[in-house]
Amino acid sequence: MCFPICSARCMSFKTREGSLKAAKNLVEKGISNLVVIGGDGSLTGANRFRKDWSELLKELVESKELSCEVAANHSHLNIVGMVGSIDNDFCGTDMTIGTDSALHRIIEAVDAIMPTAFSHQRTFIMEVMGRHCGYLALVAGIVTEADFVFIPEWPPESNWPETLCDKLGGERRTGQRLNIIIVSEGAIDRDGNPITADAVKKVVVDKLQQDTRVTVLGHVQRGGAPTAFDRILGCRMGAEAVLALMDATPTTPPCVVSLDGNAAVRVPLMACVEKTQAVTKAMEAKNWDLAVQLRGKSFQRNLETYQLLTRSKPPLPTAEKTGWNLAVMHIGAPCCGMNAAVRSFTRNSIYTGNNPIGIHNGIDGLLKGEVKPIGWADVTGWVSEGGALLGTKRTMPDKDFAAVAEQLEIGRAHV
Ligand code: F6P
């Protein structure tokens, strides 16, 4: 039978009375090991509750709500946290439970909007969740190839309306039929004033007269079935939490089960809470570099990746150009994500001053000389495409090593 635990944002838990009531209830139910699954606010609250535990029991004894004996039997509360939040806003873990599923909802929504945008040559502004954290908007921007992203940690320069319109206008002039802009609900400018989806729409309509619509995704981002990643993340985190509680002693500091690369690890709850609060303080102080840095390496890398891949034109050549011919090909069966890899490969090759080359249709294509340079704009729209747009074959190079070598040599000379 289904026994839902459900969830709540309990404001009274923030008060002393609320905490006293919670402590009394736990003691009366004989609970001294607690797993808290929640976001930044929940884990901050759990950290405080654990810190206050002895004082709370003392107060309950003084007010005669608990006997000295019962309080003594519950002198320690072990707490293990797991970060469940679609926002991926907690420092200390690479991913929070629920973020991947929310991202998936966003991708589905953008994909579903593309046909209308394409047909009517419209600009769509998608508002996604993230009151204080731009992770969803940023990563959604990368994976949907959005033209512009507004996030709270990295506000645009004050001339953003011009920058935005230059980009959108330039793209339309090169034949792009639609534009997608992703706005985090917490997006702000460099003075800390909100940038709303409607304000962005007004800029696009006033300056470019583009047919523009706003779509607010709202709570659909929290719903639906969890993705494979979230299912496995939840399974692993839950199991690790039990092990952490079993290892806990009265002197063990409360921990959070978090994801470090591919490993489930335990990190101190207090340090994570403090670092997460430091991000808020950095944003309040308008120290955007620090805010991005405190969000962690994966956030920084995502921001860099977005800034690199979203350019509509290749960057101007730099002095350090090495000018290597870098070829990419598929061998074997296609799978999702291959085209995104070729797009990144292409753009990063150009970005670093090299010459990307596509070998079409695997080894068979190479033997037939199907070798062509790939340009910056050739790979636009590839991230969301399934299969292998370059074509692939299962043929291995040992079919004819000498002929393969000869083709590579020809390619080197002619590309
Ligand atoms: O805090 C997580 C979050 O998903 C935010 O990104 C969002 O603004 C908020 O929850 C929405 O909360 P509610 O469901 O109370 O409207």
Side-chain angles (χ1 to χ4, degrees):
M1 194 182 95
C2 176
F3 173 61
I5 294 182
C6 298
S7 185
R9 287 201 177 106
C10 178
M11 291 308 145
S12 65
F13 183 66
K14 291 186 171 177
T15 65
R16 191 68 175 176
E17 294 70 42
S19 293
L20 283 165
K21 217 185 264 179
K24 187 172 173 223
N25 286 344
L26 284 178
V27 170
E28 283 179 353
K29 300 279 180 203
I31 294 171
S32 51
N33 294 283
L34 185 62
V35 167
V36 178
I37 313 175
D40 165 25
S42 317
L43 295 178
T44 304
N47 187 43
R48 181 184 49 81
F49 190 53
R50 152 81 190 231
K51 264 206 291 200
D52 293 351
W53 183 252
S54 315
E55 286 298 312
L56 291 168
L57 291 203
K58 206 167 134 209
E59 239 176 283
L60 287 168
V61 169
E62 278 163 12
S63 61
K64 307 218 177 322
E65 289 184 72
L66 285 183
S67 70
C68 287
E69 198 191 359
V70 172
N73 286 340
H74 292 83
S75 56
H76 298 105
L77 175 69
N78 296 317
I79 288 196
V80 170
M82 277 186 259
V83 206
S85 161
I86 66 165
D87 292 347
N88 205 25
D89 56 351
F90 195 74
C91 297
T93 186
D94 286 347
M95 269 302 248
T96 60
I97 299 167
T99 300
D100 190 62
S101 302
L103 267 175
H104 210 69
R105 298 290 97 77
I106 298 171
I107 295 170
E108 283 166 347
V110 176
D111 285 352
I113 267 176
M114 292 283 195
T116 301
F118 184 88
S119 306
H120 287 296
Q121 294 181 265
R122 277 185 183 158
T123 292
F124 268 89
I125 299 162
M126 317 281 298
E127 184 195 286
V128 302
M129 275 189 174
R131 250 185 309 202
H132 308 294
C133 180
Y135 184 89
L136 284 179
L138 177 59
V139 178
I142 296 174
V143 299
T144 62
E145 298 185 37
D147 302 289
F148 221 90
V149 160
F150 291 89
I151 58 171
E153 295 88 344
W154 193 248
E157 301 291 344
S158 57
N159 63 345
W160 67 262
E162 287 77 40
T163 314
L164 172 69
C165 293
D166 282 352
K167 183 156 198 284
L168 302 192
E171 283 164 349
R172 290 298 175 103
R173 282 193 292 280
T174 62
Q176 190 170 313
R177 288 181 62 87
L178 62 97
N179 292 101
I180 301 290
I181 301 169
I182 307 219
V183 182
S184 176
E185 65 175 331
I188 46 177
D189 64 19
R190 293 210 159 216
D191 294 322
N193 303 310
I195 297 181
T196 63
D198 284 333
V200 176
K201 176 181 173 182
K202 189 167 177 343
V203 167
V204 176
V205 172
D206 289 354
K207 288 184 182 285
L208 298 175
Q209 291 77 47
Q210 282 183 6
D211 191 7
T212 306
R213 297 287 187 275
V214 170
T215 297
V216 179
L217 287 186
H219 291 83
V220 294
Q221 293 162 94
R222 288 233 194 94
T227 57
F229 182 87
D230 271 333
R231 293 179 197 204
I232 194 77
L233 187 63
C235 289
R236 290 178 65 194
M237 302 276 129
E240 185 64 25
V242 175
L243 301 179
L245 282 176
M246 285 165 65
D247 288 346
T249 68
T251 54
T252 319
C255 71
V256 190
V257 180
S258 77
L259 187 72
D260 182 1
N262 198 27
V265 297
R266 300 171 201 174
V267 288
L269 174 58
M270 190 113 76
C272 294
V273 166
E274 281 167 5
K275 203 166 170 201
T276 305
Q277 288 169 345
V279 179
T280 312
K281 287 195 193 118
M283 290 193 331
E284 280 165 5
K286 303 189 177 71
N287 190 341
W288 314 113
D289 286 320
L290 182 62
V292 168
Q293 186 203 319
L294 289 170
R295 275 272 180 249
K297 283 215 165 57
S298 120
F299 192 93
Q300 286 172 53
R301 269 196 299 267
N302 282 320
L303 187 56
E304 285 160 18
T305 303
Y306 178 74
Q307 288 167 338
L308 161 65
L309 294 179
T310 190
R311 293 159 180 260
S312 48
K313 281 189 234 114
L316 292 171
T318 59
E320 311 93 67
K321 265 195 165 206
T322 50
W324 293 97
N325 287 345
L326 305 178
V328 61
M329 70 191 296
H330 301 297
I331 298 183
C335 65
C336 286
M338 277 182 162
N339 298 319
V342 173
R343 174 177 176 266
S344 279
F345 164 85
T346 301
R347 294 204 168 171
N348 208 17
S349 297
I350 298 171
Y351 192 74
T352 50
N354 296 296
N355 318 308
I357 295 161
I359 299 176
H360 296 247
N361 306 316
I363 292 293
D364 289 358
L366 176 63
L367 292 178
K368 288 186 205 145
E370 293 168 357
V371 177
K372 284 181 227 145
I374 328 179
W376 189 270
D378 292 339
V379 286
T380 297
W382 279 36
V383 175
S384 56
E385 294 291 335
L389 292 172
L390 273 185
T392 185
K393 293 277 177 209
R394 284 216 161 92
T395 311
M396 300 303 284
D398 60 0
K399 183 178 178 187
D400 189 344
F401 273 133
V404 167
E406 193 185 330
Q407 284 302 327
L408 289 176
E409 195 56 40
I410 294 170
R412 200 157 74 103
H414 293 288
V415 168

